[in-house]
Amino acid sequence: MTQPIPHLSNAFRIEHDLLGDVTVPTAAYYGAHTARALTNFRISGVPISAYPRLITALATVKQAAATANRDLGVLDGAIAEAIIRACRDIRDGERHDQFVVDSIQGGAGTSTNMNANEVIANQALEYLGRAKGDYEIVHPLDHVNLGQSTNDVYPTAVKLALDGAITDLRIEIASLRTEFAHKAIEFNDLLTIGRTQLQDAVPITLGQEFAAYAVTIAEDEARLDEARLLLHELNLGGTAIGTALNAHPGYRQRAVAELRTLTGIETLISAPDLIEATQDAGVFVQLSGVLKRVAVKLSKLCNDLRLLSSGPRAGFGEITLPARQAGSSIMPGKINPVIPEVVNQIAFEVIGHDLTVTMAAEAGQLQLNAFEPIIARALFDGIDHLTAGVRALTTHCVPGITANIARLAELVADSVGIATGLTPHIGYTNATEIAYQALQKGCGVVELVLERGLLNPSRLDEILSPAHLTGKEFTQ
């Protein structure tokens, strides 16, 4: 049976903005500006609530602002307490469903800031026993946004949210590095042949290969730490263009100090030049570049895993990746390297996001960059997907990698790469002839060296020992 449609006055409330009356659902905690944004920005279908760190960061900034303004005597204590309570609840995960504007939006993030202002104001009104929309008591702009502008609130919130996202990524990267280090120990004495330009080069142990992966991941951890510190310079208190118009003279320092308390990030500081900091998107370009570096190196690493595990009989076949799922709808028994493949695809996405961030940062004009919403979305998506991809490698791939010992021994025995290790002892010309003949005759280098009497067996064994060939005798 069809349910009766509620009377319009029960389903909606009327709010007002500079363009006139706006109908807002009665149950909604957002207001007029957000309602207009819902109509204007039907773009991605992904609301800002899909980025909970951003919502939490917005509430944190608004709480810090309310606390600072209360302490400075410019915001009524009861109103401030209601705003602070609303912010705390949002930080605890409440009302996130009310952050509904599309993550891709015009206006330099104004709709995001206004969505926050309205939700906080209406929640504060309820705490004070008033109806939603009773803005004479708690106003989204006069009270929640006091001493603020989108142009300092939004980038500050984005930076705080990115800091949290990087923390999670760093945890996953550290775990992946540990797993590669464990494999390096496990494969420590397994000799194989290195390749340059996909051609046989010189011997290396499988352990050395995996140790190198651990080291390269550690380097990216350090680069992320450097980029993360740059996020801690804030333009909060600069208001519209960095001149601090309409903010109390003491607001800037008090608000940032309160942010340090609320977030636990002791290195948060106020930018030395708020005008420069308001228009500059360089920190986002820097972070995006580091994320691209992480993505590129992870993708190269995954390429290596796919090559080394290729086969199982017609490829390299040096290692076996754990089987995660059937690999074909037509070829029985086929297993694909699906975990490295998904990380490859994440890397491609992050590289594309870096171009988006670059173009958006370059497109800024004069005192403001209007394109920070797409910058934020690109960075959040990139970090979140990288975090998930690294976690997949750590959980579903690297710990289960096994070495194919017989195959490794076969490759070393058949390779002419060991001739390089003989060069200082038999000369380059002789070593070249030995390598060439081994390839032509299909025989081993050792056999030819002994046959030509270039070295005696004991000396040859010494020179071709794994420790000597891989440099371990010089590093242990």
Side-chain angles (χ1 to χ4, degrees):
M1 180 177 178
T2 304
Q3 295 295 320
I5 298 174
H7 189 274
L8 183 64
S9 62
N10 294 328
F12 295 92
R13 66 179 186 267
I14 304 299
E15 294 198 8
H16 311 275
D17 65 6
L18 65 87
L19 299 181
D21 291 347
V22 182
T23 57
V24 179
T26 301
Y29 284 81
Y30 57 80
H33 189 105
T34 303
R36 291 197 190 278
L38 281 171
T39 300
N40 293 333
F41 306 129
R42 295 176 179 176
I43 309 298
S44 69
V46 179
I48 57 173
S49 60
Y51 304 95
R53 286 191 188 87
L54 178 59
I55 306 308
T56 299
L58 283 164
T60 304
V61 173
K62 296 297 179 181
Q63 182 176 339
T67 301
N69 284 320
R70 179 201 63 193
D71 293 348
L72 291 166
V74 295
L75 182 61
D76 176 80
I79 294 174
E81 287 306 314
I83 291 172
I84 290 168
R85 181 181 171 188
C87 292
R88 287 196 189 113
D89 287 346
I90 293 169
R91 293 174 63 207
D92 288 337
E94 296 185 23
R95 307 294 179 217
H96 281 214
D97 63 324
Q98 297 298 303
F99 289 80
V100 293
V101 297
D102 201 283
S103 54
I104 300 179
Q105 57 190 256
T110 296
S111 293
T112 294
N113 184 38
M114 284 300 299
N115 195 164
N117 289 331
E118 291 170 347
V119 171
I120 292 167
N122 281 308
Q123 180 65 84
L125 282 168
E126 282 196 346
Y127 292 148
L128 294 173
R130 310 304 288 253
K132 298 185 189 73
D134 190 1
Y135 297 142
E136 290 186 6
I137 306 301
V138 180
H139 196 281
L141 297 176
D142 291 337
H143 300 123
V144 181
N145 200 63
L146 179 61
Q148 303 153 61
S149 162
T150 294
N151 303 342
D152 62 343
V153 166
Y154 185 78
T156 296
V158 168
K159 289 178 179 180
L160 294 179
L162 287 171
D163 181 86
I166 291 172
T167 297
D168 288 351
L169 176 58
R170 282 281 284 102
I171 290 170
E172 297 299 337
I173 288 179
S175 295
L176 181 62
R177 169 177 47 79
T178 299
E179 291 299 334
F180 274 113
H182 289 161
K183 285 296 169 182
I185 296 171
E186 180 181 341
F187 300 152
N188 181 56
D189 297 322
L190 299 179
L191 196 63
T192 184
I193 293 296
R195 283 106 175 168
T196 56
Q197 296 159 276
L198 289 179
Q199 304 299 303
D200 292 358
V202 297
I204 188 174
T205 69
L206 196 60
Q208 287 174 310
E209 288 189 85
F210 277 72
Y213 296 146
V215 171
T216 201
I217 290 170
E219 290 179 352
D220 286 342
E221 291 179 81
R223 301 294 81 75
L224 282 168
D225 288 342
E226 293 166 357
R228 181 183 179 189
L229 278 175
L230 297 177
L231 293 170
H232 296 173
E233 182 180 290
L234 309 176
N235 73 324
L236 188 64
T239 67
I241 62 172
T243 59
L245 181 67
N246 293 347
H248 186 284
Y251 167 79
R252 170 186 180 183
Q253 295 301 332
R254 281 179 177 264
V256 173
E258 185 64 20
L259 275 183
R260 284 195 291 268
T261 299
L262 293 175
T263 63
I265 305 173
E266 294 297 330
T267 50
L268 293 178
I269 61 170
S270 184
D273 188 315
L274 294 182
I275 295 174
E276 185 278 336
T278 301
Q279 64 188 267
D280 179 36
V283 61
F284 301 126
V285 177
Q286 178 79 5
L287 175 59
S288 182
V290 173
L291 293 176
K292 181 176 75 170
R293 171 193 167 120
V294 173
V296 167
K297 291 173 66 177
L298 279 175
S299 191
K300 185 271 180 189
L301 188 156
C302 287
N303 291 341
D304 286 358
L305 295 180
R306 290 167 56 221
L307 274 174
L308 293 174
S309 65
S310 60
R313 296 186 178 180
F316 281 36
E318 295 186 26
I319 61 174
T320 299
L321 304 184
R324 300 305 309 175
Q325 61 190 61
S328 174
S329 62
I330 188 174
M331 292 173 279
K334 191 170 188 290
I335 301 294
N336 293 328
V338 293
I339 302 302
E341 286 173 350
V342 77
V343 175
N344 284 135
Q345 292 173 82
I346 292 168
F348 307 154
E349 178 192 40
V350 171
I351 293 166
H353 285 332
D354 181 60
L355 179 58
T356 297
V357 172
T358 300
M359 296 301 296
E362 183 276 336
Q365 296 144 336
L366 303 176
Q367 278 70 58
L368 183 68
N369 187 297
F371 309 110
E372 286 183 0
I374 198 65
I375 291 175
R377 176 174 162 138
L379 292 173
F380 288 137
D381 283 350
I383 295 174
D384 287 348
H385 294 173
L386 275 174
T387 300
V390 172
R391 186 184 303 119
L393 277 173
T394 304
T395 304
H396 301 307
C397 184
V398 178
I401 294 175
T402 56
N404 300 326
I405 297 174
R407 175 62 172 160
L408 293 171
E410 175 189 351
L411 289 170
V412 173
D414 290 344
S415 175
V416 298
I418 59 175
T420 302
L422 298 174
T423 301
H425 309 282
I426 64 175
Y428 187 86
T429 299
N430 282 333
T432 300
E433 291 176 357
I434 290 293
Y436 181 77
Q437 289 179 20
L439 289 171
Q440 294 298 309
K441 296 180 179 180
C443 57
V445 168
V446 172
E447 176 184 344
L448 290 174
V449 170
L450 294 174
E451 182 181 294
R452 294 179 57 175
L454 295 173
L455 292 167
N456 63 53
S458 61
R459 180 58 176 153
L460 187 59
D461 287 344
E462 180 184 340
I463 294 170
L464 297 182
S465 69
H468 177 77
L469 288 175
T470 61
K472 285 191 170 187
E473 65 182 12
F474 304 111
T475 59
Q476 291 179 341

